[in-house]
């Protein structure tokens, strides 16, 4: 059985990414020809190092390449050395307005500062933050948000609009460029999909730095994921975006899952089992919905890119199975056909189907990359 690479077989699916320069967030390259990285943010008190470290590790296990923590006060930056040391991924420090927090975070090992240089005061303060970042190998993210644009831009443009957001981004970028600092990326986020997409499209034409893409404050898990998929998907399809965050009012782990699902749907990143399943109907030979729900839970620990088709009947089942690594098609009489690498291989009773498929997927993952970690046990 071989893992299928259908993107390679279908050149019309290829996305041509925007050319931009590359920076580094710690060990993670962002921009250029680097894979699009997935980010999330902790919601623990950063000053509680143990709780924050635990959540960072959960996010990393879910696949996050980069994790951001908020640093609104001195207690938070004081906890940064322990967090950075224990983290398996680079840590971004989200600095609000106080320039000293930026200096402290850089000295504490933060891989990147999320900070708008125009908001932290005098040129002297800006210079001190830039020097700290440069001295400690720390990149920066300029984070423009439609909900917090500068008053003079709101007065000039009348309301948050793409032009105002891009102007804000370019103004902040110029401050860093004037200090000969170029290790930065930019985001121009809005909760309005149309506003965010238009701003990113304009910014992509105006500057060559990497872009951090997201729809900010997208909402709860289901609706926020859909909203993010529409906005971010439109941009990524057009080749715009070098690192992403799905902003959900939910467990941050759900942000990582949604981010990878968006990238997987566009063929831009491949991680874990991609389950292709029918919505089920009266033709189904087994309970498709319950089966898929159980398989999704039991295969969540698999990080190896693989495709799995679960189809209830023979109308579309064999055709879908031709395009997946493992497939199961209902055929009636309490059994179905198992497909391996697109070929019918053997029959299996419906009652044993789930266990058997899990075994097949785990065995293939181990063959490709070695034993996979056991699923995390739910807390009591």
């Amino acid at each position: 059985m071989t893992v299928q690479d259908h993107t390679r077989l279908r050149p019309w699916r290829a996305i041509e990414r925007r050319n931009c320069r590359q920076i580094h967030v710690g060990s993670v390259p962002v921009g250029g020809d680097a894979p699009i990285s997935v980010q999330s943010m902790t919601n623990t008190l950063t000053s509680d190092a143990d709780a924050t470290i635990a959540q960072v590790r959960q996010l990393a296990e879910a696949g996050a390449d980069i994790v951001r923590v908020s640093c609104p006060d001195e207690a938070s930056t004081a906890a940064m050395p322990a967090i950075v040391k224990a983290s398996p991924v680079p840590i971004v420090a989200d600095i609000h307005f106080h320039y000293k927090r930026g200096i402290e975070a850089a000295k504490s090992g933060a891989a990147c500062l999320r900070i708008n240089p125009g908001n932290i005061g005098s040129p002297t303060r800006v210079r001190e933050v830039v020097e700290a970042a440069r001295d400690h190998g720390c990149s920066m993210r300029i984070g423009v948000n439609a909900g917090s644009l500068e008053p003079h831009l709101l007065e000039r443009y009348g309301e948050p609009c793409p032009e105002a957001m891009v102007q804000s981004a370019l103004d902040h970028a110029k401050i860093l460029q004037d200090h000969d600092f170029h290790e930065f990326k930019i985001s121009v986020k809005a909760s309005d999909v149309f506003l965010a997409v238009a701003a990113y499209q304009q910014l992509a034409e105006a500057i060559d730095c990497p872009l951090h893409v997201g729809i900010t404050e997208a909402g709860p898990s289901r609706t926020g994921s859909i909203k993010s998929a529409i906005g971010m998907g439109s941009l990524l399809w057009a080749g715009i975006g070098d690192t992403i965050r799905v902003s959900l009012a939910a467990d941050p782990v759900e942000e990582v899952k949604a981010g990878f699902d968006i990238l997987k749907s566009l063929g831009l990143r491949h991680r874990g089992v991609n389950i292709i399943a029918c919505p089920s109907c009266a033709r189904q030979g087994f309970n498709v919905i319950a089966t898929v729900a159980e398989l999704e839970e039991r295969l969540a620990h698999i990080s190896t890119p693989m495709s799995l088709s679960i189809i209830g009947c023979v109308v579309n089942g064999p055709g879908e199975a031709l395009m997946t690594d493992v497939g199961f098609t209902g055929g009636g009489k309490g059994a179905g056909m198992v497909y391996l690498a697109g070929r019918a291989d053997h029959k299996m009773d419906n009652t044993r189907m789930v266990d058997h498929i899990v075994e097949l997927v785990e065995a293939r993952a181990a063959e490709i990359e070695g034993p996979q970690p056991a699923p995390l046990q739910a807390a009591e």
Side-chain angles (χ1 to χ4, degrees), residues 115-161:
I115 190 168
N116 290 350
N119 292 349
I120 59 176
S122 68
T124 299
R125 291 181 174 182
V126 173
R127 185 177 64 252
E128 289 182 20
V129 173
V130 170
E131 288 176 352
R134 182 182 287 117
D135 290 346
H136 296 278
C138 191
S139 59
M140 293 192 192
R141 171 162 74 95
I142 295 168
V144 174
N145 193 304
S148 56
L149 284 170
E150 295 89 330
H152 74 277
L153 290 175
L154 289 176
E155 182 178 352
R156 175 180 172 184
Y157 289 98
E159 63 179 355
C161 62

Coordinates of all heavy atoms in Angstrom, one line a residue, residues 115-161:
I115 N 4.0 43.1 18.0 CA 4.0 44.5 18.5 C 3.9 45.5 17.4 O 4.4 45.2 16.3 CB 5.3 44.7 19.3 CG1 5.3 46.0 20.1 CG2 6.5 44.6 18.4 CD1 6.5 46.2 21.1
N116 N 3.2 46.5 17.6 CA 3.1 47.6 16.6 C 4.0 48.7 17.0 O 3.7 49.4 18.0 CB 1.7 48.1 16.4 CG 0.8 47.1 15.8 OD1 1.3 46.1 15.3 ND2 -0.5 47.3 15.7
P117 N 5.1 49.0 16.3 CA 6.1 49.9 16.8 C 5.6 51.3 17.0 O 6.1 52.1 17.8 CB 7.3 49.8 15.8 CG 6.6 49.2 14.6 CD 5.6 48.3 15.1
G118 N 4.6 51.7 16.2 CA 4.1 53.0 16.3 C 3.2 53.3 17.5 O 2.8 54.4 17.8
N119 N 2.9 52.2 18.2 CA 2.0 52.3 19.4 C 2.8 52.3 20.7 O 2.2 52.4 21.8 CB 1.0 51.2 19.4 CG 0.0 51.2 18.3 OD1 -0.1 52.2 17.6 ND2 -0.7 50.1 18.1
I120 N 4.1 52.3 20.7 CA 4.8 52.1 22.0 C 5.6 53.4 22.4 O 6.4 53.3 23.3 CB 5.8 50.9 21.9 CG1 6.8 51.1 20.8 CG2 5.1 49.6 21.7 CD1 7.9 50.0 20.8
G121 N 5.3 54.5 21.7 CA 5.8 55.7 22.2 C 6.9 56.3 21.4 O 6.9 56.3 20.2
S122 N 7.9 56.9 22.1 CA 8.9 57.7 21.5 C 9.9 56.9 20.6 O 10.0 55.7 20.7 CB 9.7 58.4 22.5 OG 10.5 57.5 23.2
P123 N 10.5 57.6 19.6 CA 11.5 56.9 18.8 C 12.6 56.2 19.6 O 13.1 55.2 19.2 CB 12.2 58.1 18.0 CG 11.1 59.1 17.9 CD 10.4 59.0 19.3
T124 N 12.9 56.7 20.8 CA 13.9 56.1 21.7 C 13.4 54.7 22.1 O 14.2 53.7 22.1 CB 14.2 57.0 22.9 OG1 14.8 58.2 22.5 CG2 15.2 56.3 23.8
R125 N 12.2 54.7 22.5 CA 11.6 53.4 22.9 C 11.6 52.4 21.8 O 11.9 51.2 22.0 CB 10.2 53.6 23.5 CG 10.1 54.4 24.8 CD 8.7 54.6 25.3 NE 8.7 55.2 26.6 CZ 7.6 55.4 27.3 NH1 6.4 55.1 26.8 NH2 7.6 56.0 28.5
V126 N 11.2 52.9 20.6 CA 11.2 52.0 19.4 C 12.6 51.4 19.2 O 12.7 50.2 18.9 CB 10.6 52.7 18.2 CG1 10.8 51.9 16.9 CG2 9.2 53.1 18.4
R127 N 13.6 52.3 19.2 CA 14.9 51.9 19.0 C 15.4 50.8 20.0 O 16.0 49.8 19.6 CB 15.9 53.1 19.0 CG 17.3 52.7 18.6 CD 18.2 53.9 18.6 NE 18.4 54.6 19.9 CZ 17.8 55.7 20.2 NH1 17.1 56.4 19.4 NH2 18.0 56.2 21.5
E128 N 15.0 51.0 21.2 CA 15.4 50.1 22.3 C 14.8 48.7 22.0 O 15.4 47.6 22.2 CB 15.0 50.6 23.7 CG 15.9 51.8 24.1 CD 15.5 52.2 25.5 OE1 14.8 51.5 26.2 OE2 15.8 53.4 25.9
V129 N 13.5 48.7 21.6 CA 12.9 47.4 21.3 C 13.5 46.7 20.1 O 13.7 45.5 20.1 CB 11.3 47.6 21.1 CG1 10.7 46.3 20.6 CG2 10.7 48.1 22.4
V130 N 13.7 47.5 19.1 CA 14.4 46.9 17.9 C 15.7 46.4 18.2 O 16.1 45.3 17.7 CB 14.5 48.0 16.8 CG1 15.3 47.5 15.6 CG2 13.1 48.4 16.3
E131 N 16.5 47.1 19.0 CA 17.9 46.6 19.3 C 17.8 45.3 20.2 O 18.6 44.4 20.0 CB 18.6 47.7 20.1 CG 19.0 48.9 19.2 CD 19.7 50.0 20.1 OE1 19.6 49.9 21.3 OE2 20.2 51.0 19.4
A132 N 16.8 45.3 21.1 CA 16.7 44.0 21.9 C 16.3 42.9 21.0 O 16.8 41.7 21.1 CB 15.6 44.2 22.9
A133 N 15.4 43.1 20.0 CA 15.0 42.0 19.1 C 16.2 41.6 18.3 O 16.4 40.4 18.1 CB 13.9 42.5 18.2
R134 N 16.9 42.5 17.7 CA 18.1 42.2 16.9 C 19.1 41.5 17.7 O 19.7 40.5 17.3 CB 18.7 43.5 16.3 CG 19.8 43.2 15.4 CD 20.4 44.5 14.8 NE 19.6 45.1 13.8 CZ 19.0 46.3 13.9 NH1 19.1 47.0 15.0 NH2 18.2 46.8 12.9
D135 N 19.4 41.9 18.9 CA 20.5 41.3 19.7 C 20.1 39.9 20.1 O 21.0 39.1 20.4 CB 20.7 42.2 21.0 CG 21.3 43.5 20.7 OD1 21.9 43.7 19.6 OD2 21.3 44.4 21.6
H136 N 18.8 39.6 20.3 CA 18.4 38.3 20.7 C 17.8 37.4 19.7 O 17.2 36.4 20.0 CB 17.5 38.4 21.9 CG 18.1 39.1 23.1 ND1 18.9 38.4 24.0 CD2 18.1 40.4 23.5 CE1 19.4 39.2 24.9 NE2 18.9 40.4 24.7
G137 N 18.0 37.8 18.4 CA 17.5 36.9 17.3 C 16.0 36.8 17.2 O 15.5 35.7 16.9
C138 N 15.3 37.9 17.6 CA 13.9 37.9 17.7 C 13.2 38.6 16.5 O 13.6 39.7 16.2 CB 13.5 38.6 19.0 SG 11.8 38.4 19.5
S139 N 12.3 37.9 15.8 CA 11.6 38.6 14.7 C 10.4 39.3 15.3 O 10.1 39.3 16.5 CB 11.2 37.6 13.7 OG 10.3 36.6 14.2
M140 N 9.6 40.0 14.4 CA 8.5 40.7 14.9 C 7.3 40.5 14.0 O 7.4 40.1 12.8 CB 8.7 42.2 14.9 CG 9.7 42.7 15.9 SD 9.7 44.5 16.1 CE 11.2 44.8 17.1
R141 N 6.1 40.6 14.5 CA 4.9 40.7 13.7 C 4.1 42.0 14.0 O 3.8 42.3 15.1 CB 3.9 39.5 14.0 CG 2.5 39.7 13.3 CD 1.7 38.5 13.2 NE 1.1 38.1 14.4 CZ -0.2 38.4 14.8 NH1 -0.9 39.2 14.0 NH2 -0.7 38.0 15.9
I142 N 3.9 42.7 12.9 CA 3.1 43.9 12.9 C 1.7 43.4 12.8 O 1.3 42.8 11.8 CB 3.4 44.9 11.8 CG1 4.9 45.4 12.0 CG2 2.4 46.0 11.7 CD1 5.4 46.2 10.8
G143 N 0.8 43.7 13.8 CA -0.5 43.2 13.8 C -1.5 44.3 13.7 O -1.9 44.9 14.8
V144 N -2.0 44.5 12.5 CA -3.1 45.6 12.4 C -4.4 44.9 12.5 O -4.7 43.8 12.0 CB -2.9 46.2 11.0 CG1 -4.1 47.2 10.7 CG2 -1.6 46.9 10.9
N145 N -5.3 45.6 13.2 CA -6.7 45.0 13.5 C -7.7 46.1 13.2 O -7.5 47.3 13.6 CB -6.8 44.6 14.9 CG -8.1 43.8 15.2 OD1 -9.2 44.2 14.9 ND2 -7.9 42.6 15.7
A146 N -8.7 45.8 12.4 CA -9.7 46.8 12.0 C -10.4 47.4 13.2 O -10.9 48.6 13.1 CB -10.8 46.1 11.1
G147 N -10.4 46.7 14.3 CA -11.1 47.3 15.5 C -10.2 48.2 16.4 O -10.7 48.8 17.3
S148 N -9.0 48.4 16.0 CA -8.1 49.2 16.8 C -7.2 50.1 15.9 O -6.0 50.2 16.2 CB -7.2 48.4 17.8 OG -6.5 47.4 17.1
L149 N -7.7 50.6 14.8 CA -6.9 51.5 13.9 C -6.6 52.8 14.6 O -7.4 53.3 15.5 CB -7.7 51.7 12.6 CG -7.7 50.6 11.6 CD1 -8.7 50.9 10.5 CD2 -6.3 50.3 11.1
E150 N -5.5 53.4 14.2 CA -5.1 54.7 14.8 C -6.2 55.8 14.5 O -6.8 55.8 13.4 CB -3.8 55.1 14.2 CG -2.6 54.2 14.5 CD -2.4 53.1 13.6 OE1 -3.4 52.6 13.0 OE2 -1.3 52.7 13.4
P151 N -6.4 56.7 15.5 CA -7.4 57.7 15.3 C -7.3 58.6 14.0 O -8.2 58.9 13.4 CB -7.3 58.6 16.6 CG -6.8 57.6 17.6 CD -5.8 56.7 16.8
H152 N -6.0 58.9 13.7 CA -5.8 59.8 12.5 C -6.2 59.0 11.2 O -6.6 59.7 10.3 CB -4.4 60.3 12.5 CG -3.4 59.2 12.0 ND1 -2.8 58.3 12.9 CD2 -2.8 59.0 10.8 CE1 -1.9 57.5 12.2 NE2 -2.0 57.9 10.9
L153 N -6.1 57.7 11.2 CA -6.5 57.0 10.0 C -8.0 56.9 9.9 O -8.6 57.0 8.8 CB -5.9 55.6 10.0 CG -4.4 55.6 9.7 CD1 -3.8 54.1 9.9 CD2 -4.0 56.1 8.4
L154 N -8.7 56.7 11.1 CA -10.1 56.7 11.1 C -10.7 58.0 10.7 O -11.7 58.1 10.0 CB -10.6 56.3 12.5 CG -10.4 54.8 12.9 CD1 -10.8 54.6 14.3 CD2 -11.1 53.9 12.0
E155 N -10.0 59.1 11.1 CA -10.5 60.5 10.7 C -10.3 60.7 9.2 O -11.1 61.2 8.6 CB -9.7 61.5 11.5 CG -10.1 62.9 11.2 CD -9.4 64.0 12.1 OE1 -8.6 63.5 13.0 OE2 -9.5 65.2 11.8
R156 N -9.2 60.2 8.7 CA -8.8 60.4 7.3 C -9.8 59.5 6.4 O -10.3 60.1 5.4 CB -7.4 59.9 7.0 CG -7.0 60.0 5.6 CD -5.5 59.6 5.4 NE -5.1 59.4 4.0 CZ -3.9 59.0 3.6 NH1 -3.0 58.7 4.5 NH2 -3.7 58.9 2.3
Y157 N -10.0 58.3 6.8 CA -10.8 57.4 5.9 C -12.3 57.3 6.3 O -13.1 56.7 5.5 CB -10.2 56.0 5.9 CG -8.9 56.0 5.1 CD1 -7.6 56.0 5.8 CD2 -8.8 55.9 3.8 CE1 -6.4 56.0 5.2 CE2 -7.6 55.8 3.1 CZ -6.4 55.9 3.8 OH -5.2 55.8 3.1
G158 N -12.6 57.8 7.5 CA -14.0 57.8 7.9 C -14.5 56.5 8.6 O -15.4 56.6 9.4
E159 N -13.8 55.4 8.4 CA -14.2 54.1 9.0 C -13.1 53.1 8.7 O -12.3 53.3 7.8 CB -15.5 53.6 8.4 CG -15.5 53.3 6.9 CD -16.8 52.8 6.3 OE1 -17.7 52.5 7.1 OE2 -16.9 52.6 5.1
P160 N -13.1 51.9 9.4 CA -12.2 50.9 9.0 C -12.4 50.4 7.6 O -13.5 50.1 7.2 CB -12.5 49.8 10.0 CG -13.1 50.5 11.2 CD -13.9 51.6 10.6
C161 N -11.4 50.4 6.8 CA -11.5 50.0 5.4 C -10.2 49.4 5.0 O -9.1 49.6 5.6 CB -11.9 51.2 4.5 SG -10.6 52.5 4.4

